[in-house]
Amino acid sequence: SQAAIAVLFVILYGYAAKAYNIISSPGLKNMSTITTSLFLPALFISEISPEAELSRLIKYWPIVVFPSLNIFISYIYASVGRRLFKSKFSFPLWIIPSCMFNNTITLMLLMLDNLGTLGAFDDIVGENNRSQAIRRAKAYFLLNALVHSLIKFSIAPKLMSTLAIPVEVTSTLIDPGSTEPDHLGNHNTEEMPLLSTSSLPRASYDNVWRKIRETVNPPLLGALLAFIIGVIPLLRHMFLEKGGIFTSTLTQSIQKMGNIYATIQLFVVGAQPTKKSLPKFALVYLLSYRFILMPIFSISVISALRHWQPDVLLKDPIFDFALMIAPVGPTTSTMAAVSQIANLSEDDTSLVASMLTISYIVSPLISVPIASAVTIIAKQSPIYSVMK
């Protein structure tokens, strides 16, 4: 809860800065753009690359599988809810990705530091193993964040956007009666075919390139680059390992940019208040899922799996804790970045920011599933003893 309160204070600082005209609307927009396009990709590279080792991904395969499953279940929940209730209540499209993606980096890392300080894991790992447990937990949560980031910035902008992207179609049909040159400089005659075949490869190339440009965005590129650097041994040595040619220079500079992302993004969220009222039913639908239904689901599934199939998961109680808590909590603050990538209107972007603010106001509720998870894992401690 202390981590959530700290996050909330940063949001309030942004609100105060905008309320007292310390920052202008154009300045806020520029700050949001540079945060999304530069600082967020830097965060992915600096925080996720070290965890994206191929052997580690194979060893920790549930961290890859379970987030994907949780995202899919969240999509079903949000989509069904919107289909059922949008005729009676305001249910904007951005609620769907907001249900799917929770805060997997900023809040979780702050939360782990506080839990370590308070000794929350002492009952399951022992006081002497506290620091090692926190390091393992951070590694698990960052791997989860890698999976989330790759999926989120691949599909969330399209799910959120209600803007139809116009598809430019260049007609290659030629009027057989015309003698004017076409756009390739070819003069038409009666003997020429109706379809200019010379333009087909170029048209296909243009279509593919347009699709790539519509899908790829800076955060997605950053997540992909983080994955590539982590799994390719040569790049990993050059950028991440001691003695690497870029480890003390380029990597350090990227890390410094990534470190300021969370603070600036939350500040921007707070500085985007809206005069429009949030859709109350949709907001309750979202928050009840993120703080009640998803914790019940994730904790129940992992505890049951550990009880009935104890050898399936890694033999580490902290691993169970990560799987239980990783999908829990408020919507990710990067949803503000997603709304910008999706070209939402200024009003909708402000509504997303207000939704995030309320999500973090209630985020101390995450302490309930955290306490429940630790208690359940402590009761299952004989299972871990047998497995050793």
Side-chain angles (χ1 to χ4, degrees), residues 46-187:
S46 63
E47 294 290 343
I48 296 178
S49 288
E51 309 304 328
E53 194 172 7
L54 187 59
S55 60
R56 186 174 295 175
L57 291 174
I58 296 173
K59 182 180 179 181
Y60 302 152
W61 63 266
I63 293 289
V64 177
V65 174
F66 278 94
S68 305
L69 176 63
N70 291 332
I71 290 171
F72 177 72
I73 292 172
S74 302
Y75 171 75
I76 298 298
Y77 170 84
S79 299
V80 169
R82 187 170 188 269
R83 182 177 292 273
L84 292 176
F85 301 117
K86 68 178 181 179
S87 60
K88 296 182 179 180
F89 305 97
S90 176
F91 213 109
L93 198 59
W94 50 260
I95 288 291
I96 295 178
S98 298
C99 272
M100 295 168 63
F101 302 103
N102 64 306
N103 190 314
T104 57
I105 299 181
T106 311
L107 184 61
M108 293 301 178
L109 296 183
L110 288 172
M111 173 197 71
L112 289 173
D113 287 334
N114 286 338
L115 290 176
T117 302
L118 297 172
F121 295 138
D122 290 356
D123 290 340
I124 57 178
V125 297
E127 185 176 353
N128 295 332
N129 298 319
R130 182 189 300 176
S131 60
Q132 295 178 357
I134 296 300
R135 282 198 297 270
R136 294 200 308 275
K138 286 184 177 182
Y140 300 150
F141 276 100
L142 286 171
L143 281 176
N144 173 76
L146 170 62
V147 178
H148 257 251
S149 300
L150 288 171
I151 298 175
K152 175 171 51 186
F153 287 100
S154 297
I155 65 175
K158 288 187 175 294
L159 289 174
M160 180 179 283
S161 179
T162 56
L163 300 177
I165 301 176
V167 180
E168 296 179 2
V169 179
T170 303
S171 176
T172 55
L173 289 177
I174 302 174
D175 183 0
S178 172
T179 59
E180 294 296 324
D182 63 12
H183 66 286
L184 297 174
N186 300 322
H187 288 271

